[in-house]
Amino acid sequence: MTNPVLVEVLRGTLVESAHRGSVVVVDADGKTVLALGDVAKPVFPRSAVKAIQALPFVESGAAEAYGFGDRELALACASHSGEPAHAELAAAMLAKAGLGLEALECGAHWPSGQTAMVGLARSGAAPSALHNNCSGKHSAFVCTCRHLGIAHQGYVRPEHRFQQMVRETMEAVTGAAHNETNRGTDGCSIPTFAVPLQNLAQGFARMTTGNGLAPERAKAARRLMSACMAEPFLVAGTARADTDLMHAAQGRIFVKIGAEGVYCAAIPELGLGIALKCDDGAGRAAEVMIAAVLAKLMAADETLAEKLTKAANPILKNWNGIEVASLRPTEAFG
Amino acid sequence: MTNPVLVEVLRGTLVESAHRGSVVVVDADGKTVLALGDVAKPVFPRSAVKAIQALPFVESGAAEAYGFGDRELALACASHSGEPAHAELAAAMLAKAGLGLEALECGAHWPSGQTAMVGLARSGAAPSALHNNCSGKHSAFVCTCRHLGIAHQGYVRPEHRFQQMVRETMEAVTGAAHNETNRGTDGCSIPTFAVPLQNLAQGFARMTTGNGLAPERAKAARRLMSACMAEPFLVAGTARADTDLMHAAQGRIFVKIGAEGVYCAAIPELGLGIALKCDDGAGRAAEVMIAAVLAKLMAADETLAEKLTKAANPILKNWNGIEVASLRPTEAFG
């Protein structure tokens, strides 16, 4: 099936570009509450499932043993902008486990945040693995290995014992098979597995309600998502959608973007899990889609719905600060 | 109509994302040689038509009067990466007309090239309008105003006499009306007008063959496109598609990307003009589309076609240098 156009980009009064995609919302019983487009098609969730991948970090007792709180747990689930606070916290997590940044196998890249990038360049330093947007997740990974007494070297590889734990956790939470036939490699070198979009939504419904999860896992899931909602800056950064949406919702919505236009979210008070994918992989459109579907689901709270609707209709300014374009969700959202 | 999927993004062996779009190739007589998708739909060409917008710069005699050669003409048609050679040449063009960078009304932004951005940041300097990817075009604009004795102030505004000259030139070359109903504002603050994709292709067929253009205009068009093909680095920059494609074709193909997934091109020896638009605005997909259609049109030259086919099938590496994804044109290209 051809997915519907869910987001339009306007320049002047004309539609300049358009984004298709699929969105699914699943409740605590696994029932589909809303579906737009093909929600059975396998999708690589990429970084949108970092909170699920972080479950062994909490379940193993590693997070508690090292004395980590909301800040470290939020960073473990983050795709951060490489701002000083992010890089410093990742380094502090490693230090608690007696490790240095050489333990990280995610690779180095310049901070994605422009101010952070310019600041780092001006300091004369080069970017390290601590600036990699995934450094919090990787720090949590090696801390967990250390706590469990597993040699952390090679922890990014599919056959490593720790990566097998992550895969088993992902299978249990999403209910979808993870094997060599649906495996790819993520930007930070760990495996990523394509699973049906509806399984991702169901996974986040389970994460927030605990339905279908063992009690310890349900507790760890709530702990991680609460940490992200309490420390939204550490999940992304300055002027980033994850941070702004969770800040606006003040602890009532969990959201996480993934590369190539994926978004996962959960609304604890409604017991709902949400997953979406922009067909063409555009993050700008995925951000509009998640804000639009959240505005619809939270319509009963007019103040919050208004903020979410505003986030779903961003204005684009040019280099002279003139408003030249805008994005908007289409009527497909109803 | 729904445009076909023209580009797929693969991760592992699975399609992760897909891009739809439309492509049209027009010959010297205005006949459509190839059409994929809806080619009658109006599209904002953005920077893909800079060579047409630069015609008054040559036709007015400004370029000759200031002693400009291939390098300055190429920069006038450029969306450059803000590397030192680009910024310095724009400054030199302004100086020839007795102007400084304060004459530019395009706004300032950090160089789009990462090495250039880091270098500028390390120098302690801030970006100026000279680093704006459009600074060559804007320098040519104000040089032309100066040569014609028109006050350059406000030259970006639709009602300015110079902008009217640009609009009339665009109308004559593309054969499409440019007015308030199809007008938007570009990133650099000048007007951009949405016209049918087939008119853009026809415009570039005219630019390269001279058919339907006055002799002086035909000469200016050939002069500008020859300059771009002779100095491809100045049209874009390090590791940029425009530069790499024109470098590979060694003077036999003119190409120019525009924002939001637009590409225009011309093949002088075949008398063909090409225009394409990726529906969702992705530059990565537009780059694959242009390379794929050029490979098809230049199939008779196996060596060149092989280079173009390679450009149409880029491999994406992650931060550890591991090949994790790739792009490919679909069977729609035949």
Side-chain angles (χ1 to χ4, degrees), chain B residues 115-199:
Chain B
T115 305
M117 181 179 171
V118 169
L120 188 65
R122 288 217 166 117
S123 78
S128 76
L130 295 171
H131 301 98
N132 185 307
N133 75 89
C134 300
S135 70
K137 176 180 75 178
H138 282 251
S139 296
F141 282 177
V142 294
C143 284
T144 308
C145 289
R146 193 82 163 165
H147 177 69
L148 293 173
I150 304 171
H152 59 79
Q153 290 80 2
Y155 71 87
V156 296
R157 292 205 298 269
E159 65 277 14
H160 192 279
R161 191 171 147 204
F162 179 74
Q163 228 30 265
Q164 287 173 358
M165 286 174 62
V166 172
R167 196 191 67 218
E168 285 160 15
T169 306
M170 282 292 305
E171 284 189 322
V173 174
T174 64
H178 286 51
N179 52 48
E180 285 176 24
T181 66
N182 62 347
R183 192 177 77 203
T185 304
D186 213 325
C188 65
S189 294
I190 72 163
T192 179
F193 298 85
V195 301
L197 200 64
Q198 58 200 7
N199 287 74

Side-chain angles (χ1 to χ4, degrees), chain A residues 54-70 72-73 96 143-144 147 216 219 223:
Chain A
L55 285 170
F57 174 51
V58 177
E59 292 173 357
S60 68
E64 195 180 357
Y66 292 120
F68 295 153
D70 280 349
E72 292 84 357
L73 267 55
K96 281 273 178 74
C143 283
T144 309
H147 176 70
E216 275 306 303
K219 196 177 150 194
R223 182 80 192 80

Side-chain angles (χ1 to χ4, degrees), chain A residues 43-47 49 53 178 182-187 190-194, chain B residues 11 16:
Chain A
V43 161
F44 284 111
R46 311 290 301 273
S47 291
V49 291
Q53 294 170 328
H178 286 50
N182 62 347
R183 192 178 77 204
T185 304
D186 213 325
I190 73 163
T192 178
F193 299 84
Chain B
R11 183 165 299 269
E16 180 168 31

